[in-house]
Amino acid sequence: MGILPQIIFAIALFIGLGYFANNVRKLRRNIKLGQDVDTSDDKPQRWKNMAKIALGQSKMVVRPIAGFLHIIVYVGFVIINIEVLEIIIDGLIGTHRIFSGAGEIYDILIGTFELLAFAVLVSVVVFWIRRNVIKLKRFMSSEMKGWPKSDGNIILYFEVVLMCLFLTMNGADLQLQLNGAEGYHTAGSFPISQWLLPIFDGLSNATLIIIERAAWWMHILGILAFLNYLYFSKHLHILLAFPNTFYGNLKPKGQFSNLEAVTTEVMMMMDPNADPFAAAPEGTEDEVPAKFGASDVQDLSWVNLLNAYTCTECGRCTSECPANQTGKKLSPRKIMMDTRDRLVEVGKNIDANKGVFNDDGKQLLGDYITNEELWACTSCNACVEACPVSIDPLNIIMQMRQYLVMEQSAAPMELNNMMTNIENNGAPWPYNQMDRLNWKDEN
């Protein structure tokens, strides 16, 4: 065989990482379709949020059972990647367990990997039962049918297969070590895979090598496949939770952003020295006025689009939403899923037209998200508070409401009446301004 396995491994690694890099490029391009927004403020607080929320999983443990199991899977995913590094080096240079020279440290590492792999298996089984047997309500919503449901299960199956291959590889390796097979020197501690030895007992070394090598190859190829599946899956949060928490909104909950054009207009109206008939600044006479609010993904900020890609569809936002709890159509999770779906559609349009977006006659508002959903929101911020990775569905809702009001005059009748009263009477009520204090004379 010689160097052939190393060549095959290098080709597989190059293809896997190359395809992943290309998908990352598309992902970045799609996110950058959003409007620019300043996120340079209070860097220390942003780093703190990322460390606490993304790395420390502080908001996951608000729901203890799911939070604890998620931490196990998360820690397992991070730490077992050290073992993946060893596999990559072994595959490229033709060695076997190259880190084994670390002695006892290596034994501790392999033992820890195995315990984590077993804990991940248990956690994944519990997650599968919660989704498919117990059928928790937040996983059974209308937006979770079809692909979203399948996607969640596919990830669980991926993790089960990868952990089983890891333990099978180690179990066969351990048996070969005990048999004194050539190239399989004593290395590692195997607290879990040692229980597989009865399965391998009595098999020839040649058969054991086939099993060990097959599990080794399937494990690393499965990891490369999993890595590239992420782009098409809700599990992009594995990669995006860190930047998403870093760029999260630092304003106090309930503080909304005003449109700059409207703020400028109001300030000018309140300035007694301003000339309402002044000409526009030179060079800006022919500029097309910016759109008020957002009707499609390109109108949202790039942080909004990063939010959409980061959403893991856990449903905590929707389960906390008072509008959803009272039977309204609004689901903050669906808002994020719809935004991502539309963004993916726009990205495919750009790919199909050689880097240029051709108007497809569709937009986020209307084709994906309805007016009824937007106006059901009470702007209570419950969804924002509940999200474990700092996603802000409310910001998207408010921008689309601004578009409805300021571009289409499509606010509900009650809201239009209130705004008319404010304009005419200086108050939400339909009373003349001269009569606004009459209540004080009543007994």
Side-chain angles (χ1 to χ4, degrees), residues 30 70 83 110 153 228 236 276 302 437 439:
N30 289 354
H70 187 274
E83 174 260 344
I110 296 299
N153 284 328
N228 284 288
L236 263 175
W302 65 264
L437 281 178
W439 61 270

Side-chain angles (χ1 to χ4, degrees), residues 114 166-168 170-171 174 190-197 200:
E114 290 216 345
F166 171 66
L167 295 174
T168 300
N170 282 353
L174 176 58
F190 306 93
I192 303 300
S193 60
Q194 66 179 342
W195 296 99
L196 300 177
L197 289 181
F200 301 127

Side-chain angles (χ1 to χ4, degrees), residues 238-268:
I238 293 173
L239 305 177
L240 298 183
F242 291 90
N244 197 75
T245 51
F246 181 83
Y247 291 115
N249 186 12
L250 297 183
K251 294 179 180 179
K253 296 290 189 296
Q255 179 178 334
F256 296 121
S257 299
N258 294 322
L259 293 173
E260 183 178 353
V262 176
T263 301
T264 301
E265 188 75 16
V266 171
M267 295 301 291
M268 188 179 73

Side-chain angles (χ1 to χ4, degrees), residues 84-210:
V84 175
L85 177 61
E86 182 183 50
I87 289 180
I88 291 175
I89 296 174
D90 284 342
L92 290 174
I93 66 177
T95 54
H96 182 70
R97 294 191 178 274
I98 192 171
F99 293 160
S100 60
E104 290 186 6
I105 295 176
Y106 185 77
D107 294 345
I108 293 171
L109 281 175
I110 296 299
T112 302
F113 296 161
E114 290 216 345
L115 292 172
L116 280 172
F118 181 74
V120 168
L121 276 173
V122 173
S123 300
V124 167
V125 169
V126 174
F127 282 142
W128 187 89
I129 291 173
R130 282 158 55 88
R131 283 178 172 272
N132 300 282
V133 179
I134 299 176
K135 296 184 177 179
L136 293 182
K137 182 179 178 181
R138 62 191 171 102
F139 296 134
M140 296 294 111
S141 302
S142 58
E143 67 265 22
M144 294 303 293
K145 300 186 185 305
W147 170 248
K149 180 179 180 180
S150 299
D151 180 36
N153 284 328
I154 288 171
I155 288 291
L156 297 179
Y157 299 144
F158 248 122
E159 291 172 343
V160 167
V161 170
L162 290 176
M163 295 303 103
C164 286
L165 286 171
F166 171 66
L167 295 174
T168 300
M169 174 186 75
N170 282 353
D173 196 301
L174 176 58
Q175 186 64 61
L176 286 164
Q177 291 180 28
L178 295 174
N179 291 352
E182 183 180 356
Y184 290 86
H185 54 279
T186 301
S189 174
F190 306 93
I192 303 300
S193 60
Q194 66 179 342
W195 296 99
L196 300 177
L197 289 181
I199 300 175
F200 301 127
D201 189 32
L203 297 179
S204 67
N205 284 353
T207 302
L208 288 169
I209 289 174
I210 291 174

